Amino acid sequence: MTINDKQQEIIDSFDGLDDWMDRYAYIIDLGAQLAPIAEKDKTPEHLIEGCQSRVWITANVDNNGLMHFTADSDASIVKGIIAMLIDVLDGHTPQEILDADLHFINDIGLGEHLSPTRSNGLLAMVKQIRLYAMAFKALSQKK
C-alpha cells in the first residue's frame, strides 16, 4: 500500500466516529496495539525533543531499502498518534517518506483538537522520522 492509501485507511476509520471522546478512545486503542519498543532503546538518543510527554522512536532499513520504526510513549494519546504515523510510514523508502504529505492528521480533525504542546510534539515526531529518512537516504547513496 502507498502512504496515501494508508492515510486514507486511517481517515476512513475515523469517518464513523463523530464524537471526540470516541475518537480519543480509538487513538488510545491504536497506541495499545503498538508493538513495544525494546527497553534498551529507551535512551536519550532516541528520545524526541520538544514533546510534552516522553516519546522514543527508532528506525532501521531492511535489505530492500525500506524503513521500519519502533516507538513508545508514556502518554496514551501520544502513543496512539505515533502508532498512526508508523502505520502510514513503515515499510516505505526514505525518499517516499521525505516526499509524503502527511495530511491525515488534519483530515481527521486531530490537528485542531491537540493542545499547542501536543501539536509541537507531533511536529517533533514527524521531524525526527524525516531526519531518520534523510540519514538513511544519505547512507544508501554512499554505497
Side-chain angles (χ1 to χ4, degrees), residues 45-101:
E45 165 185 317
H46 297 124
L47 191 63
I48 305 303
E49 296 291 325
C51 289
Q52 179 180 6
S53 51
R54 294 166 48 117
V55 179
W56 299 269
I57 301 175
T58 66
N60 63 59
V61 174
D62 66 21
N63 292 336
N64 296 317
L66 303 178
M67 293 189 67
H68 300 284
F69 302 93
T70 60
D72 198 2
S73 176
D74 59 3
S76 299
I77 289 177
V78 175
K79 192 171 181 174
I81 293 169
I82 194 65
M84 288 188 289
L85 285 171
I86 288 174
D87 184 42
V88 168
L89 298 172
D90 195 77
H92 293 280
T93 66
Q95 189 62 55
E96 288 171 327
I97 291 169
L98 291 170
D99 291 343
D101 170 20

Side-chain angles (χ1 to χ4, degrees), residues 6-7 9-10 14 26-36 55-57 69-73 75-90 102 104-105 108 110 122 125-126 129:
K6 291 299 248 175
Q7 290 188 93
E9 257 187 9
I10 290 173
F14 275 83
Y26 183 68
I27 292 168
I28 290 168
D29 286 346
L30 292 173
Q33 297 170 31
L34 187 63
V55 179
W56 299 269
I57 301 175
F69 302 93
T70 60
D72 198 2
S73 176
S76 299
I77 289 177
V78 175
K79 192 171 181 174
I81 293 169
I82 194 65
M84 288 188 289
L85 285 171
I86 288 174
D87 184 42
V88 168
L89 298 172
D90 195 77
L102 298 175
F104 77 97
I105 296 290
I108 64 174
L110 186 59
L122 172 59
M125 289 184 274
V126 171
I129 289 170

Side-chain angles (χ1 to χ4, degrees), residues 8-19 23 107-108:
Q8 191 59 52
E9 257 187 9
I10 290 173
I11 293 164
D12 291 345
S13 68
F14 275 83
D15 275 349
L17 304 171
D18 295 326
D19 180 74
R23 287 178 176 227
D107 289 357
I108 64 174

